[in-house]
Amino acid sequence: MTKFFGFILTILVSIVFGFWLAATNILDGTRAGDVLYEIVDLIPMPNEVSTPLQIDVPKEETSASTVQSSQEESTPSNAETNQSGIDYQIIENHIFELLNELRTEVGVSTLTKNDQLKVAADKRAVETEELFEHTRPDGSDPFTVLEEGETPYRYRWAGENLAMATYYLDEIGMAEVIFEGWKNSEGHYKNMIKPEFKEVGIGIHYDGEILYATQIFGTPL
């Protein structure tokens, strides 16, 4: 019996050590590393979310506004965008550009846009006006949004970053404020540079005062 438990302990230690080697990229480019990464990819991994973050940013004529990062059912319509006078597409595109610039800087592959993740991110951006948490207003897990619609997004990996900020700059300026908030938060930064993620959807919602932004990362099966 003692030998059996010793054998099990040896296996567990080996697995943990293997994950450590994979995470440190020490074996990159070696045959042993390729085999190890194949084994790691076969093991189901948890979804990634980040603890809500709050930082102060300047705002004209009032006290400091708040940027928080941490997630109605439809995406913001063109009418909503036009009525607010804010071009969501500029914000989304600039966040996407900054995201891939960061990934290039740290040496991981860039992300591609995915329409299913975009729809999900838009939904989550709207939902965060009601509940700014990594929980949906109905109490369900945030990644249930990927199961909705005619074509669910089947994934191996998924992650979510959230942000909200008082709107006080132009579209480019707000995109940079939100992105820097994510970048300066350990959990959100980890999601943005995670090598395993291959695709992303970015959602924006504005309620007339607060700008909400969502990044949903994914790696399809």
Side-chain angles (χ1 to χ4, degrees):
M1 183 63 70
T2 301
K3 290 184 178 180
F4 175 76
F5 283 117
F7 176 70
I8 295 298
L9 180 60
T10 300
I11 292 177
L12 291 175
V13 171
S14 299
I15 291 174
V16 172
F17 182 65
F19 272 104
W20 176 81
L21 286 175
T24 57
N25 299 320
I26 291 175
L27 299 179
D28 280 2
T30 68
R31 177 54 184 165
D34 292 340
V35 172
L36 177 60
Y37 295 144
E38 289 176 4
I39 294 173
V40 170
D41 282 342
L42 294 175
I43 301 176
M45 301 298 291
N47 300 323
E48 299 286 345
V49 296
S50 304
T51 302
L53 165 77
Q54 178 174 319
I55 59 176
D56 290 331
V57 298
K59 180 183 177 184
E60 295 180 1
E61 299 180 357
T62 64
S63 60
S65 60
T66 299
V67 174
Q68 296 178 321
S69 298
S70 159
Q71 358 173 208
E72 211 152 0
E73 181 114 57
S74 61
T75 62
S77 65
N78 289 333
E80 180 182 0
T81 304
N82 293 334
Q83 184 178 4
S84 70
I86 297 173
D87 191 328
Y88 289 180
Q89 196 64 50
I90 292 176
I91 301 173
E92 295 168 14
N93 287 343
H94 195 48
I95 289 175
F96 180 71
E97 292 169 359
L98 293 171
L99 175 60
N100 274 337
E101 286 176 5
L102 174 63
R103 290 177 68 88
T104 298
E105 288 175 7
V106 301
V108 299
S109 61
T110 57
L111 301 175
T112 58
K113 293 183 179 181
N114 177 276
D115 290 341
Q116 292 167 286
L117 294 180
K118 163 64 176 169
V119 170
D122 282 339
K123 288 183 179 181
R124 294 292 296 126
V126 175
E127 289 178 352
T128 53
E129 181 181 354
E130 180 177 349
L131 180 64
F132 188 69
E133 296 286 349
H134 289 297
T135 302
R136 304 184 72 183
D138 65 3
S140 63
D141 182 277
F143 298 103
T144 59
V145 72
L146 299 176
E147 302 169 5
E148 299 174 355
E150 296 181 0
T151 308
Y153 184 83
R154 304 297 184 188
Y155 61 91
R156 179 185 297 274
W157 300 84
E160 179 181 74
N161 281 351
L162 305 178
M164 59 180 289
T166 301
Y167 198 100
Y168 71 103
L169 297 171
D170 62 10
E171 288 90 343
I172 294 296
M174 291 308 302
E176 292 176 352
V177 165
I178 288 171
F179 182 81
E180 287 302 313
W182 281 328
K183 184 178 178 180
N184 293 324
S185 166
E186 182 179 356
H188 302 88
Y189 179 78
K190 179 182 176 182
N191 270 348
M192 292 198 295
I193 66 167
K194 192 178 185 69
E196 289 82 1
F197 289 145
K198 304 301 180 185
E199 301 174 333
V200 68
I202 299 171
I204 301 295
H205 172 63
Y206 180 58
D207 67 1
E209 179 182 3
I210 304 297
L211 185 72
Y212 300 86
T214 302
Q215 292 174 315
I216 296 186
F217 304 91
T219 302
L221 287 174

